[in-house]
């Protein structure tokens, strides 16, 4: 058998390893982190890969707070930078996430969710960090939260996370779970040009005209790397257009309003979902992460049994893809939201439901995955 | 004979034993061979205790001709158990006509007398003088027993994954496991025909067991 | 005076409203001056200097200087500085912190920055107190001193910054005061020119939050206290009675390469190895 087609490079990777492939394809050259199960393979792979790049930097920091600090610093210096962690480390990172949101510093944070609160179940899956990813840092701030359900998607969504971070100058959280992170599957390794890659807008005006937090058409001000002649001030304090602290109500309100608007106006771009047989669905499953895989099998089995079942996979968790969900809730009889927590996305579904459909939840917090049969029982 | 192209619908394998027996490596090597050098979809998941040595360890594979939705095993077609504890914990996840393969040197008791056995540890220790190669001897046997597996593909994945220093001895271990299995375990196992039907009810019932445990 | 005016115009931000936020009698403005004079003396371009400041009175220094400035989260200035230096080793990165910032909430980052010897200069303004939040004790508040959170006198011992940073492996460690300004200029300039992690502790009085509650009659009184108590290191070592005296000067001068340099060398080795294999 002769092979004329150029064969794509393929590898049998863990979800965590696929994250690294995605990050490198997106142009990431900086990683700082602190080891924590079940995210550690991301860090270990980065430790091997980044020093091989001409300008790659890998740092093991003293804790997760420091990791986020280093990532923020690298991003300010113009790098595409990321870190990865799990629940306990994610909690420690929250203050710095708020700082990144306030200073509009692009970065990617992968949180591989494990089971339980506190130290919980380090080697078991969970989805308990969903609301923390949205509201974990104090104060009102915009943030993007994405998820991935299988290994190829880990790669793809990491690229998307970097693109969104750069395009919207915002921290982006990619939520994985222990199962997705620790499943091995075949992945096509990305070749240059496979993905559209975005980089943050940089100023084109001379430094003396540059106002670092000025309103722009998209609401995203250009961002020069430190040391390129645009000497401006970066602060976590509420700031004016020049970046200096202010407490004047009209300036503070304008800042917060622009920070939200820059993402709100682009819901169509950032709210990613996948429809699986939803057109005529009477029984709808709304799921994300590893549970979406169980749901996929359950929905197929339900269809085989004659039930008009459908699945909406949420790839973007926040901003919550309201318009997609709302539309389906109006046409289905029943919506089932299975998740590995006590009901963190189902809250959002119920919030937008307004009595259209019956919303049922399946919650599991014992460190075990929700099996397809459990979902099938609810929809069939 | 083995190495046929076959249509598979969720063929589920569990490799199990103790931490330190190289179960996870075995899972990765088998998965890599089936995913990259055969035209199958494969998901490989694992479970291990916090201990690096001595705790329970297992690697699960789902092999299918179609994209795999649920990545974990539900109900096993093949269980390889390299410890008594693994037999006790996992034998009841086998399908009624599933295959149990044990290390006869380490497993004293099986739930029934329907099982296949080879003394993997003894083969590696006495045959090769390398007890650490037990997992690869077992991998050789698995490569024989899976009718859809091509041994040269597994060898390829083995060669790619191992450093020079230990490559030769592991290939030897693999060949030993393969030939011993061929000699002593008979023909490769029968694989359920996905077109035969009737499988769904069976799955439903057994899924319920899983969901309750 | 003309020289001072020139430095003000060259290095302070025109669009930033003065006067400074600091209280009358505060020493922070003097450290700010020292920093500007050191950068000027070394002939560094404003574009290549990055000041990362923490939270507190000292943190406000960043807003006034016309460099690349980052006003970080409390205690984390060194972490951001580390990221910046590793991302672009060509930049001169200065972390300006207070005692609460550097030694209390950020103590872990300090010892690790010193251990990994990252090429960052830490300028710590030690006024023995949390000033901005209204006068609570810090990890450098002397034993027995009064503050709003040690109203009966501080029971805990204070950190010796010099010994702490020396033990953690810093390339350079120095201490100066805002009374000995010329010497402080020199210490900061020397720290900026030496590779690796360099720490300069600048003792600076806080009359408002510390002095008033601890027996000082005025800010001037506190400057006098600095003048009396601080002794150059060589003289300090010859003192028979060291009690209550504070040694100033350079304590550690190792001139060891910074992490960024060692990292670049490792990358280069890997590159050559790959080139050789191909």
């Amino acid at each position: 058998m002769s092979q004329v087609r150029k064969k794509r490079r393929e590898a049998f990777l863990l979800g965590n390893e696929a994250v690294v492939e995605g990050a490198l394809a997106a142009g990431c050259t900086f990683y700082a982190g602190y080891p924590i199960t079940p995210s550690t393979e991301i860090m270990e792979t980065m430790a091997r890969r980044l020093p091989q790049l001409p300008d790659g930097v890998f740092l093991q920091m003293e804790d997760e707070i420091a990791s986020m600090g280093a990532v923020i610093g690298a991003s300010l210096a113009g790098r595409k930078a990321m870190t990865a962690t799990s629940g306990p480390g994610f909690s420690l990172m929250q203050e710095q996430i708020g700082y990144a949101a306030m200073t509009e510093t692009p970065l990617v944070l992968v949180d591989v969710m494990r089971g339980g609160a506190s130290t919980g179940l380090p080697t078991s899956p969970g989805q308990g960090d969903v609301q923390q990813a949205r509201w974990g840092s104090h104060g009102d701030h915009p943030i993007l939260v994405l998820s991935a359900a299988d290994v190829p998607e880990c790669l793809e969504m990491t690229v998307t996370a970097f693109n969104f971070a750069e395009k919207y100058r915002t921290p982006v959280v990619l939520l994985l779970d222990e199962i997705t992170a620790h499943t091995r599957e075949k992945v096509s390794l990305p070749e240059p040009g496979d993905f559209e890659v975005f980089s943050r807008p940089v100023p084109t005006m001379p430094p003396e005209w540059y106002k670092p937090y000025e309103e722009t058409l998209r609401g995203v001000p250009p961002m020069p790397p430190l040391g390129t002649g645009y000497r401006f001030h970066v602060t976590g304090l509420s700031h004016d257009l020049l970046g200096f602290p202010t407490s004047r109500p009209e300036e503070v309100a304008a800042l917060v309003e622009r920070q939200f608007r820059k993402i709100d106006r682009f819901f169509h771009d950032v709210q990613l979902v996948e429809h699986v047989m939803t057109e005529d669905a009477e029984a709808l499953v709304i799921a994300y992460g590893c549970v979406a895989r169980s749901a996929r099998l359950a929905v197929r089995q339900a269809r085989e049994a004659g039930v008009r079942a459908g699945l909406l996979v949420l790839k973007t968790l926040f901003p919550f893809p309201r318009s997609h969900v709302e539309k389906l809730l109006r046409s289905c009889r029943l919506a089932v939201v299975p998740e590995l927590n006590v009901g963190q996305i189902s809250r959002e579904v119920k919030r937008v439901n307004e009595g259209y459909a019956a919303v049922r939840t399946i919650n599991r917090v014992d460190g075990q995955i929700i099996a397809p049969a459990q979902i099938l029982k609810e929809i069939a | 004979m083995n190495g046929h192209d076959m249509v598979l619908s969720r063929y589920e394998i569990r490799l199990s034993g103790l931490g330190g027996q190289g179960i996870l490596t075995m899972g990765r090597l088998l998965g890599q061979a089936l995913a990259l050098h055969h035209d199958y979809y494969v998901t490989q998941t694992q479970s291990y205790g916090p201990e690096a040595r001595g705790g329970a360890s297992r690697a699960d594979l789902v092999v299918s001709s179609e994209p795999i939705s649920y990545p974990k095993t539900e109900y096993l077609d093949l269980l390889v158990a390299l410890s008594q504890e693994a037999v006790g914990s996992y034998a009841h996840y086998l399908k009624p006509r599933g295959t149990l393969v044990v290390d006869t040197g380490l497993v004293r008791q099986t739930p029934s007398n329907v099982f296949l056995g080879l003394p993997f540890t003894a083969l590696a220790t006495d045959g090769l003088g390398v007890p650490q190669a037990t997992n690869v001897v077992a991998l050789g046997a698995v490569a024989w027993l899976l009718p859809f597996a091509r041994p040269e593909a597994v060898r390829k994945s083995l060669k790619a994954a191992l450093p020079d220093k230990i490559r030769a001895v592991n290939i030897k271990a693999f060949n030993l496991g393969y030939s011993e299995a061929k000699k002593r375990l008979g023909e490769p196992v029968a694989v359920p025909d996905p077109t035969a039907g009737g499988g769904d009810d069976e799955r439903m019932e057994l899924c319920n067991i899983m969901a309750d445990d | 005076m003309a020289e001072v005016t020139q430095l003000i115009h060259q290095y302070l931000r025109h669009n930033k409203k003065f006067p400074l936020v600091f209280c009358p009698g505060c020493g922070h403005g003097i450290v700010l001056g020292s920093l500007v004079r050191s950068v000027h003396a070394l002939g560094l371009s404003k574009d290549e200097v990055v000041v990362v400041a923490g939270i507190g009175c000292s943190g406000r220094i960043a807003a006034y200087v016309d460099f690349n400035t980052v006003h970080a989260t409390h205690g984390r200035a060194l972490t951001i500085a580390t990221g910046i230096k590793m991302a672009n080793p060509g930049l001169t990165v200065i972390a300006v912190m207070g005692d609460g910032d550097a030694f209390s909430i950020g103590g872990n980052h300090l010892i690790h920055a010193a251990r990994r010897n990252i090429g960052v200069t830490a300028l710590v303004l030690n006024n023995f107190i949390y000033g901005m939040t209204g006068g609570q004790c810090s990890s450098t508040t002397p034993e027995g001193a009064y503050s709003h959170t040690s109203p009966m006198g501080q029971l805990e011992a204070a950190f010796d910054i010099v010994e702490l940073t020396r033990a953690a492996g810093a390339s350079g460690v120095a201490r100066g005061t805002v009374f000995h300004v010329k010497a402080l200029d020199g210490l900061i300039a020397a720290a900026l020119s030496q590779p690796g992690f360099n720490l300069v502790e600048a003792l600076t009085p806080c009359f408002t939050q510390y002095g008033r509650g601890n027996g000082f009659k005025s800010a001037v009184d506190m400057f006098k206290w600095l003048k009396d108590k601080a002794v150059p290191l060589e003289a300090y070592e010859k003192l028979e009675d060291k009690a209550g005296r504070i040694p100033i000067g350079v304590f550690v001068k190792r001139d060891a390469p910074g992490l960024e340099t060692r990292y670049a060398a490792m990358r280069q080795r890997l590159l050559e190895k790959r080139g050789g294999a191909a």
Side-chain angles (χ1 to χ4, degrees), chain A residues 179-303:
Chain A
I179 291 189
T180 309
H182 281 167
T183 296
R184 275 180 202 278
E185 279 179 286
K186 182 164 79 178
V187 179
S188 257
L189 295 175
E191 308 278 348
D194 278 1
F195 291 101
E196 200 177 350
V197 168
F198 290 91
S199 294
R200 66 193 71 167
V202 292
T204 48
M205 70 285 274
E208 59 273 23
W209 293 1
Y210 174 62
K211 290 182 183 161
Y213 295 96
E214 198 172 29
E215 181 64 276
T216 66
L217 218 54
R218 283 206 299 121
V220 183
M223 180 184 185
L226 295 175
T228 51
Y230 298 83
R231 299 181 304 274
F232 65 104
H233 189 57
V234 179
T235 179
L237 284 165
S238 296
H239 42 271
D240 58 21
L241 299 185
L242 292 174
F244 293 121
T246 180
S247 50
R248 292 174 57 172
E250 67 277 17
E251 288 179 337
V252 174
L255 174 73
V256 180
E257 199 259 342
R258 180 182 57 72
Q259 286 178 339
F260 273 89
R261 180 159 35 85
K262 73 178 179 187
I263 289 167
D264 290 358
R265 279 182 49 201
F266 294 91
F267 276 175
H268 59 279
D269 186 40
V270 298
Q271 292 180 339
L272 305 176
V273 296
E274 185 193 344
H275 292 265
V276 183
M277 297 181 280
T278 55
E279 309 82 31
D280 63 338
E282 286 184 338
L284 175 71
V285 182
I286 301 172
Y288 55 96
C290 65
V291 179
R293 298 188 74 150
S294 304
R296 204 180 283 265
L297 184 56
V299 163
R300 217 181 77 185
Q301 290 169 352
R303 283 271 170 179

Side-chain angles (χ1 to χ4, degrees), chain A residues 184 186 293-294 297 369 373, chain B residues 28 35 44 68-70 207:
Chain A
R184 275 180 202 278
K186 182 164 79 178
R293 298 188 74 150
S294 304
L297 184 56
I369 188 173
Chain B
R28 185 161 52 84
Q44 187 237 309
I68 298 161
S69 47
Y70 183 57
C207 282

Side-chain angles (χ1 to χ4, degrees), chain A residues 52 56 96 231 233-235, chain C residues 47 69 71 73 263 267 274:
Chain A
Q52 312 277 351
Q96 302 276 59
R231 299 181 304 274
H233 189 57
V234 179
T235 179
Chain C
D47 286 338
T69 55
H71 184 210
T73 40
Y263 199 90
R267 249 181 351 214
R274 268 204 313 282

